[in-house]
Amino acid sequence: MPAGLGPGGNVDGEVTERFTRCAPGLSGVARRTLRTNLRFIGRRVVPQLYPADAPLPREQAKQPYSPAEISGFLALADAQPTAERRMRAAGLSAWAPAPG
C-alpha cells in the first residue's frame, strides 16, 4: 500500500529534495519548477517539515547573438515571399540593432 501524504509519507522535505536532485530526464529548469511545486504543496500539508530552501545550481545565460547572426535573421526576413511575412519576420528581429 502506498504511503499517504503527511509525515513519513510522500510529502516530506527530505523526500522532495532527494527526488528533485535525482529525478532522471529533467532539465535544470524543469527540476527547479518541480521542486518549487512539490515544496508549495508540502508547506500546505505539513509546514513543519519544510525548512528553508537549499539552492539548486543554475545554468549560465546564453551568449547574445553576434552581429553576423542578427544580419542573417534580417536577411531571412527580407527573403520572405510576401510583404506580410517579411513584416512579421522582421518584427521578430525588432530588438536587433541596426546593421553598420
Side-chain angles (χ1 to χ4, degrees):
M1 180 165 243
L5 297 176
N10 293 331
V11 180
D12 180 286
E14 291 178 19
V15 173
T16 298
E17 293 297 321
R18 188 170 53 249
F19 179 72
T20 54
R21 252 186 282 117
C22 303
L26 292 179
S27 67
V29 174
R31 193 176 307 278
R32 286 188 295 275
T33 300
L34 174 64
R35 177 179 178 238
T36 299
N37 292 341
L38 290 174
R39 291 182 68 79
F40 177 83
I41 293 167
R43 283 188 182 109
R44 300 306 185 268
V45 176
V46 281
Q48 68 276 14
L49 296 179
Y50 281 85
D53 293 342
L56 289 174
R58 298 208 175 254
E59 296 80 27
Q60 293 294 318
K62 291 182 180 180
Q63 291 293 322
Y65 289 119
S66 70
E69 289 173 312
I70 294 170
S71 295
F73 293 142
L74 294 173
L76 285 172
D78 288 339
Q80 295 302 307
T82 66
E84 183 179 347
R85 290 183 76 178
R86 284 191 294 275
M87 289 190 316
R88 285 183 182 174
L92 293 174
S93 302
W95 50 267

